Every structure is written in C-alpha cells, then in structure tokens.
Amino acid sequence: MNKDAVLHIPMSQYAYALDGERMVFRLRAGRGDLDACYLHYGDRACRQTPVVFHSLSMRVAAQDERFDYYEVAFSSPYRRLCYYFELRCGEERLLYYGDFFSEACVDDRSEYYQYPYMHRADLVCPPSWAADAVVYQIFPDSFATGKRWISGRESSFYYQGKTVRGKRGGTLLGIAENADYLEEMGFNAVYINPIFAAGEYHKYDIIDYYHVDPCFGTDEDFRELVKTLHNHGIRVIIDGVFNHCGWHFDAFEEVVQKGREASFCDWFYRLAFPVIRQEDPEAVPDYECFGYERMMPKLATDQEAAAEYFCNVGAYWLREFAIDGWRLDVASEVNDGFWRRFFKTVREVNPQAILIGEVWESAGHWLDGTMFDSTMNYDFRKHCRRFFAEKTIDAAAFDGRVTHMRMRYREQSVFAQMNLLDSHDVSRFSSLCGGDEEAYELAVLFLMTFPGMPSVFYGDELGVTGLCEDDYRQAMPWERAAVSKAADTGYSRQQLFYKKAIRLRRQEEALRRGGYGAVSAASGSRLYVYRRFLEAEEILIALNMEDSTMTLNQEWLEGKLLRQRGLEGYKLESRGFVIVKSGKTGEKICR
C-alpha cells in the first residue's frame, strides 16, 4: 500500500455537509492501489464506550494520473460524527484516522477524525440558479450603442469636475436594446464589467461608486437595463471594484489635498506625505496600489469606515436596482474579514444574490460558504488551452487536470464555478487555437458540458479574435450577428454552433446538475470521452483531438449507449465529436 498517497482533510472538501442531512466524505489514495475502502462513522456523543460505528463502502468517484479519489455520500443520523477509514490492499488491512495508520480501533473517541457538528450556518449554499446559468460577459464600452450597432466613437464628459472617457461608444441602453439577441442565443445571465463613473474607458479606476458613468448613460438607464433583461429571463451580475479606487475618488482626493489632516488617511495603505500623483506613467508611487498602477490606489478595507462604506455600496445596487449579484475584482488581494462582512450584507438584502470572486489560482480558501459562491475559473481556460489550442498534453493529462478541478472543492462550489475560455483580461481563445476552428468548437462544447456556469465573452460567438488588449476588447461586430426565432437560419457557423451548444446544455439537466466521469482518457491519446449522468439520464460525449479518425469502443458503458443508438463502431473524424443520450428519451447529435 502506498501510504504516502493517502490523504484526508477534516472539515474541508474531503468532509462536508451537502445540506442539513447529507454528508460527503472523501479519501485520496494511489491510483489503482487499493482493493477496497470503507468509511466507519459513529455518534461522537455516543453514550457507549467504545463508540458504535456504522460502515459504508466507498467508491472511486474520480481518478487523475496519480490518485484515486474515494467518495461516499449518505444521510447521516447524527449531527456530530467521529469516523475513520478502512483501507484494503491484497492481504494488507489498515485503519486510517488522526492522520496516522493503525491496525486496530481505540476506545478514546477523540483520536478519530471528527465532524464536530452539522451547523446550518456552515453549509456552502450558492444560489439555486447558479448551476442553470449560462453567462454572457459584456465589456460595456465595446458592446453596443443601439440595436445591432456600435458607434466606435470616443467620448468624454466632465463629471464632478473630472474627465471621464469612453473609447468605442457602448452604452447601457445599447445593451438593453439587444436583450432579444442575448435571449435568442440562450444566455440567461450577464456579467457586466464596471459601469460606475471612472476616468478610463475600462472603468476600473472608479471615481463614484454610487452613479453610472456618463459615457454609458444614467442611473435610470441602468434601472431600465436591469428591468429589460429580467423581462427576457436574464439575470444581471455587475463588477465590484473594492480592492482599489481611482485617483480622483473623493477619499483619495482629500488625502492628496489635505495630507495628514485628511479624514480618509486610514482608507489607504502605505501613504507617504505629501501624497503626490505622479504624471510619469513609469513612476513608482509612494502609496500602495493595484500592482504598480499609480492611478489605482489600494483601499484598506480592514478599516471600519472603509468597510462600512463599501458594504453599503454592495447593498445599495442590490436594493435600489435589483441586480442579481456581484463579480468582485482582484478578490484574492482583499482581506477576508471584509469579504465575510460583504457576503453577510449582500445575503441580507437578497439571499439568492451571487458573489463571484476574481481568483486566478486555486480558490478553496474563499469557498467555505462565508465569502464567495463562485470564482472565475481561469484554471479551466488553462487546461483547455493545453489540450485544445496548443495540443501539448494528452487525454490522460487533460482528464487528470479537470479531475483536480472537480475534487479540490465541495460539490456545491463545483456546480457554481464560473468556467471560461477567455475574458476581458486574456487573449481570445479562438486566437490561441491558431485557426483550428474544429478544435475551438470542441473547447466550446466542453465548456457547455462541464459542471459549472459556462461564461462566454461578448463576440466569441461571432468570431472575434485578438491576442492583445486592444484587439480582444474590440467593438462588437454586429454586422455578423443574426437573430432568427423561427429556425436556425442566417447564422454563421460559429454563432450557430454556440446557439446549439447552449441549447443542448439548457435542455439537458444532466449537463447542468449531473455527475461526471471519464470513459476514455488514455495516455498518448487525444481522444477524450466522458459522461454526465443524473438519475435515469446519461449522456456520453466523445471529443476527438487526434489528427486521424478514431473508432468508438463498443465496450464503453457496457456498449449499451452505442448499440442502442446504432453507433457501435462509429468512426469519429479528426476534430469531430459525438454526443449520445440514453434514458427516458434517446437521441444522438454527431458530426
């Protein structure tokens, strides 16, 4: 038995409550190492000594290249548990508890692993609608000025004595006038980059957190936008920038003008007096900021007055404009105490509002149910880039990486992750594919059939490309767009592919809420086959990234799906896919 591979972490994604009754326990072991694994659990407040334990067989729920992940989910009769694992490998039988191996149980229940109490307040509960969401990300300056058009013109306004700028002419009413397009494509949520008054076109250097930037319109325009999108069945998530503000935010303005006498000095980090706003873009400022961006001073949200102000901002836009949630910029650089306070404030206004943190790394720290419901899953993009775009890893490595993505969080958090191929901060994924349209389509299909909330950056469906910022934030090419409620006619190949992939996801509950398992992910191969399953429904998806035709294995899923649908021995062309559904109804989608 490879003891070094065995891992269990109490009170984590390895031991958590799904709800007030059901529990999930996991144990990691070396791949193929164990013959069997069992969970033994008992009431840690049991009046008998030794504790009476109950046994459950654990199954291999996932595998990566090195490990098996054993899992069991069950309804617990107890609210307080002590537990241990039994591991079998050939003739070897060991017990695992307290992070050590043993050959026997002990009477002292405190030596076992503990789940102290199933607190309602500790449950991870993302909004119920998250798993059903298909998100469209809109960069407002670049999206639309009116119905199916964008002016492409720069703009500038004086706002409270300061200049604010726009670059391409997008407005909030422009978004509203294209709500029918979003609905027809199948999107039921939008994430909109910052809309508040700010100096530059991207609006991440905020001047006023309580009003819309005049380049985009008015507060009433935003109210109308939210109402319009809601009428089209589309939820609205806006960008919250609370890590830093703009040069001309009132609090920082006072610090510059009054120095040490300013009442807002403790709202900022590492101020050196006098505070000077350097005109030289290469100058390193004498205050903490976002990266080294001198025009974005960092906010000290660990201070009471600052925390209160920005929590009030969070509540205001929920209460007054009925938004459905916040995407939170540079979330990993803001102190945890503020996020817990912000989370509590938001939930009190709207228990179904979503909070999505911009965390580029593994985000388990922020997904304990007290800070965020979701994070922007840039690891999803990273792994897809290696497999679909660069073609530098095989199916085994790809499956190992996406398995890690699924097993590093609680199940609830996995289904709420905001999965993406690109965004306003990275190159368009289609450009990374280097003209391989079929590979790009396979990546999109994977996005739409993987657990979590798929997010599409505006214009991806219309073939927008771009490797550098000015290109991947280009104006929406409305001349390429089509809307046809009667039939799938008039669409470009890429737009139609997106529409069908989104429709598939929204029609099949198994793709939104079902289990996931690899069927074929062989070392040295770039054929990846996986399945999604929920109750009596099962969907098989095969993606062929090989440069040659592949034959589907008749033994997959005991051959039932393939034989039922007449696909036994089906030839899958290079960059081709096949989707097979089995259950209450049967259908196939193949190319």
Side-chain angles (χ1 to χ4, degrees):
M1 186 182 300
N2 181 5
K3 297 178 183 177
D4 292 338
V6 175
L7 176 68
H8 175 75
I9 306 172
M11 304 293 289
S12 73
Q13 72 272 27
Y14 282 82
Y16 63 93
L18 280 169
D19 50 40
E21 301 292 333
R22 294 179 299 154
M23 300 287 297
V24 173
F25 287 90
R26 293 171 177 167
L27 180 132
R28 192 191 75 185
R31 178 158 181 159
D33 195 40
L34 301 184
D35 295 322
C37 182
Y38 300 91
L39 171 74
H40 298 270
Y41 71 95
D43 182 359
R44 70 190 299 259
C46 180
R47 296 182 179 183
Q48 295 178 237
T49 299
V51 171
V52 176
F53 284 98
H54 309 274
S55 299
L56 292 171
S57 178
M58 302 180 72
R59 66 182 182 88
V60 177
Q63 293 179 310
D64 60 24
E65 292 179 286
R66 295 185 296 156
F67 303 113
D68 288 334
Y69 296 87
Y70 283 86
E71 181 178 284
V72 63
F74 64 101
S75 294
S76 173
Y78 312 120
R79 293 295 174 265
R80 310 169 181 88
L81 280 76
C82 56
Y83 60 97
Y84 66 92
F85 300 94
E86 178 186 347
L87 285 60
R88 295 183 181 180
C89 177
E91 298 299 317
E92 190 175 14
R93 174 186 177 275
L94 289 175
L95 308 182
Y96 187 65
Y97 52 84
D99 296 344
F100 295 99
F101 294 93
S102 177
E103 294 183 354
C105 293
V106 292
D107 288 344
D108 186 349
R109 66 192 66 185
S110 68
E111 293 191 28
Y112 296 108
Y113 284 122
Q114 307 290 321
Y115 196 94
Y117 196 82
M118 291 174 63
H119 288 286
R120 290 189 302 269
D122 293 337
L123 291 174
V124 174
C125 297
S128 57
W129 55 268
D132 298 318
V134 181
V135 181
Y136 192 73
Q137 181 188 346
I138 295 175
F139 197 74
D141 181 70
S142 302
F143 187 65
T145 310
K147 194 174 184 69
R148 311 291 190 270
W149 76 282
I150 183 166
S151 71
R153 293 194 295 268
E154 294 184 358
S155 61
S156 65
F157 294 86
Y158 283 108
Y159 181 83
Q160 298 180 354
K162 300 138 190 171
T163 301
V164 297
R165 300 177 180 83
K167 190 172 185 177
R168 296 185 175 92
T171 65
L172 298 180
L173 290 181
I175 300 173
E177 290 187 32
N178 290 285
D180 62 327
Y181 171 81
L182 301 176
E183 182 183 15
E184 180 59 23
M185 285 299 298
F187 298 104
N188 56 11
V190 294
Y191 150 43
I192 307 175
N193 289 100
I195 60 170
F196 308 125
E200 298 302 316
Y201 81 103
H202 50 69
K203 306 306 172 189
Y204 281 97
D205 57 334
I206 295 177
I207 294 171
D208 187 342
Y209 286 84
Y210 279 95
H211 294 289
V212 165
D213 190 287
C215 294
F216 297 157
T218 66
D219 294 356
E220 287 307 309
D221 290 345
F222 182 65
R223 193 184 306 277
E224 182 63 27
L225 169 61
V226 175
K227 181 180 178 181
T228 299
L229 290 173
H230 282 173
N231 287 340
H232 284 267
I234 300 170
R235 299 180 188 269
V236 181
I237 303 161
I238 63 174
D239 217 326
V241 187
F242 307 128
N243 171 71
H244 55 270
C245 61
W247 249 7
H248 297 292
F249 178 51
D250 284 347
F252 194 72
E253 190 77 43
E254 182 175 315
V255 167
V256 172
Q257 300 301 327
K258 295 184 178 181
R260 296 181 190 277
E261 302 303 315
S263 57
F264 296 100
C265 288
D266 64 352
W267 282 38
F268 303 94
Y269 282 94
R270 201 174 54 84
L271 295 178
F273 297 97
V275 177
I276 299 172
R277 290 181 286 213
Q278 298 281 356
E279 292 299 330
D280 180 3
E282 300 302 319
V284 177
D286 289 332
Y287 48 84
E288 201 74 44
C289 48
F290 167 58
Y292 294 102
E293 176 47 66
R294 73 196 196 289
M295 299 176 73
M296 298 181 185
K298 182 173 176 60
L299 293 159
T301 48
D302 59 335
Q303 299 300 305
E304 173 61 26
E308 180 72 11
Y309 177 89
F310 290 108
C311 283
N312 288 340
V313 169
Y316 174 79
W317 290 91
L318 283 156
R319 186 176 57 248
E320 299 299 324
F321 294 86
I323 65 169
D324 299 286
W326 289 91
R327 177 268 189 187
L328 302 163
D329 191 53
V330 201
S332 59
E333 295 187 23
V334 177
N335 60 297
D336 293 352
F338 173 75
W339 286 137
R340 291 191 174 98
R341 181 171 178 171
F342 189 84
F343 182 94
K344 187 173 185 292
T345 300
V346 164
R347 280 294 206 269
E348 287 173 352
V349 178
N350 180 1
Q352 284 291 301
I354 196 167
L355 294 179
I356 305 169
E358 184 200 14
V359 180
W360 290 56
E361 59 271 26
S362 186
H365 171 78
W366 293 273
L367 295 171
D368 65 350
T370 67
M371 289 184 271
F372 308 144
D373 302 298
S374 170
T375 53
M376 296 183 75
N377 193 358
Y378 279 97
D379 278 352
F380 182 93
R381 164 190 162 84
K382 176 176 68 179
H383 303 328
C384 286
R385 177 176 183 170
R386 302 290 181 264
F387 185 65
F388 295 106
E390 297 176 352
K391 308 173 184 65
T392 55
I393 60 174
D394 60 17
F398 180 64
D399 181 61
R401 294 181 183 205
V402 300
T403 295
H404 180 261
M405 282 197 310
R406 293 188 297 111
M407 302 307 290
R408 67 184 179 181
Y409 303 144
R410 295 167 175 84
E411 178 183 299
Q412 304 97 306
S413 298
V414 170
F415 284 100
Q417 281 295 287
M418 190 177 186
N419 300 328
L420 55 96
L421 293 174
D422 44 33
S423 75
H424 64 290
D425 281 329
V426 293
S427 301
R428 297 277 180 163
F429 198 85
S430 58
S431 294
L432 299 181
C433 289
D436 190 337
E437 291 185 18
E438 290 83 4
Y440 178 65
E441 288 175 351
L442 293 189
V444 171
L445 185 57
F446 185 69
L447 173 70
M448 294 300 167
T449 55
F450 191 75
M453 298 188 298
S455 177
V456 176
F457 194 31
Y458 80 95
D460 277 348
E461 76 284 8
L462 300 182
V464 171
T465 60
L467 293 172
C468 62
E469 181 179 296
D470 199 51
D471 289 334
Y472 57 70
R473 295 181 184 177
Q474 65 183 264
M476 178 77 164
W478 284 110
E479 68 280 2
R480 304 179 199 169
V483 175
S484 175
K485 295 186 177 181
D488 291 335
T489 57
Y491 296 99
S492 66
R493 167 177 169 167
Q494 202 161 80
Q495 188 183 359
L496 182 58
F497 188 88
Y498 266 97
K499 191 172 186 292
K500 287 184 174 181
I502 294 168
R503 181 192 302 155
L504 173 69
R505 181 178 183 85
R506 293 192 60 183
Q507 285 177 343
E508 302 297 340
E509 189 175 6
L511 296 179
R512 306 190 308 274
R513 300 173 180 275
Y516 184 101
V519 175
S520 177
S523 179
S525 172
R526 290 202 297 271
L527 173 67
Y528 185 54
V529 186
Y530 54 102
R531 65 190 185 106
R532 302 295 309 276
F533 48 92
L534 183 67
E535 298 174 351
E537 300 284 349
E538 188 164 15
I539 299 174
L540 176 77
I541 303 113
L543 309 177
N544 183 19
M545 277 298 297
E546 289 282 2
D547 293 325
S548 58
T549 299
M550 300 293 289
T551 302
L552 296 190
N553 188 331
Q554 66 182 30
E555 299 303 322
W556 289 341
L557 302 181
E558 300 176 352
K560 293 179 182 177
L561 286 178
L562 300 178
R563 284 197 291 271
Q564 285 177 1
R565 307 269 47 90
L567 291 174
E568 189 171 346
Y570 180 78
K571 301 295 184 181
L572 192 55
E573 294 181 359
S574 172
R575 310 292 190 272
F577 68 88
V578 62
I579 302 171
V580 187
K581 176 183 174 182
S582 176
K584 299 173 185 176
T585 61
E587 61 179 283
K588 68 178 181 180
I589 306 171
C590 48
R591 185 194 65 187

